[in-house]
Amino acid sequence: MRVRGEARSSFITRPADGKMPFRDRAKSLRLMIRDGQEYRSGKGAYTNPEDLPIRERCLIAQSDAGGPVMLNAIYNNNYSFLVTPGYFVIYLEMNHDVRIAPIFASAAKARASHAPVTIRPWLGDTVAWWEGDTLVTETRNVNPTQEGRTLTPVSSKGTVTERFTRIGKDELLYQFTVDDLVHYTQAWSGEYSFKPTKGQIYEYACHEGNYAMEGILRGARLAEGASAKTANRAGPP
């Protein structure tokens, strides 16, 4: 990864040690860690569809690609940005997610236009405004299910500020700051650059996950039944 021509080993620019300042990493990433263990082992407590990861349920893109913060996934890392007089639209290749932010005349007007805290949509509630040549967005009220299944969790009390600045013909600088004392001991920031690609972004048709989920849940019931039969044959201790 290069930003302004400089090779980078990390997205994180603050704090200086390049580490996310988790208050309790194991607690904040509990479900992500569990999902990883279940993915590697093939075994999990699949009682109902809600036990499966967001990506398995085809709800949002890999839990992180759409933001906030927007992080690259294993594949399908293309984005399309559209700016109109009234809106800023971020369209993802991964899972064809879309984040739409109304653009206001000032930061004060934008922040005053956030939805009530009781409304917590997928990818959060995002508003935008211009600061010179930089388009700034602020996101709050991330969906609570998404909060628990992302590498950059943001609580209902947290805020993510993102800045988009064209710094060259072929480079769009993306900067972000996460301010959430529920999950972190301090605000932290990062940046990377978007570079243009050739061709258009095609639809990511995520339909196979619906069949996978049925198979996973059925497999869990069969495994439970096999364990019960084994226990019955063994008899009382």
Side-chain angles (χ1 to χ4, degrees):
M1 181 181 66
R2 291 184 176 272
V3 180
R4 303 186 188 91
E6 177 185 59
R8 300 287 180 86
S9 61
S10 173
F11 289 161
I12 299 175
T13 56
R14 180 174 62 124
D17 64 5
K19 297 179 180 180
M20 294 170 62
F22 278 109
R23 189 172 296 280
D24 186 335
R25 183 180 183 278
K27 181 179 179 180
S28 292
L29 300 181
R30 177 180 61 83
L31 290 178
M32 288 293 289
I33 294 170
R34 191 195 79 173
D35 289 347
Q37 293 171 339
E38 293 178 350
Y39 181 81
R40 289 188 294 272
S41 68
K43 300 177 181 179
Y46 303 123
T47 303
N48 54 58
E50 285 71 28
D51 286 332
L52 276 76
I54 293 173
R55 62 181 179 274
E56 193 72 58
R57 295 156 61 193
C58 301
L59 293 174
I60 58 174
Q62 294 286 19
S63 309
D64 291 296
V69 176
M70 296 192 300
L71 299 179
N72 60 295
I74 300 174
Y75 58 96
N76 285 3
N77 286 312
N78 291 310
Y79 292 76
S80 179
F81 301 102
L82 175 66
V83 179
T84 74
Y87 292 91
F88 175 45
V89 180
I90 303 173
Y91 172 72
L92 283 71
E93 180 183 24
M94 180 63 82
N95 211 50
H96 56 266
D97 283 342
V98 179
R99 185 149 55 115
I100 302 175
I103 301 175
F104 295 88
S106 66
K109 291 182 179 179
R111 288 173 176 141
S113 300
H114 274 296
V117 70
T118 53
I119 300 177
R120 301 182 63 182
W122 294 115
L123 310 179
D125 171 35
T126 304
V127 295
W129 66 91
W130 286 98
E131 291 183 2
D133 293 332
T134 297
L135 185 61
V136 184
T137 67
E138 182 180 87
T139 303
R140 301 177 184 173
N141 304 338
V142 175
N143 186 284
T145 302
Q146 182 182 350
E147 174 190 352
R149 279 193 154 103
T150 175
L151 294 172
T152 57
V154 180
S155 75
S156 61
K157 298 181 180 179
T159 299
V160 178
T161 303
E162 299 162 291
R163 303 174 67 86
F164 300 81
T165 310
R166 183 174 287 280
I167 59 175
K169 179 182 178 181
D170 296 326
E171 186 168 3
L172 177 67
L173 180 64
Y174 171 61
Q175 299 170 298
F176 60 85
T177 295
V178 179
D179 191 351
D180 184 3
L181 293 180
V182 172
H183 289 287
Y184 311 99
T185 59
Q186 65 179 82
W188 61 280
S189 304
E191 66 179 18
Y192 63 86
S193 289
F194 286 101
K195 305 294 179 64
T197 188
K198 296 180 180 180
Q200 68 186 81
I201 297 177
Y202 290 93
E203 179 187 5
Y204 177 88
C206 185
H207 59 79
E208 72 283 356
N210 295 325
Y211 298 98
M213 181 161 57
E214 178 183 348
I216 290 168
L217 295 175
R218 181 176 296 177
R221 303 293 79 76
L222 291 172
E224 291 169 356
S227 296
K229 289 180 179 179
T230 301
N232 289 335
R233 284 197 298 267

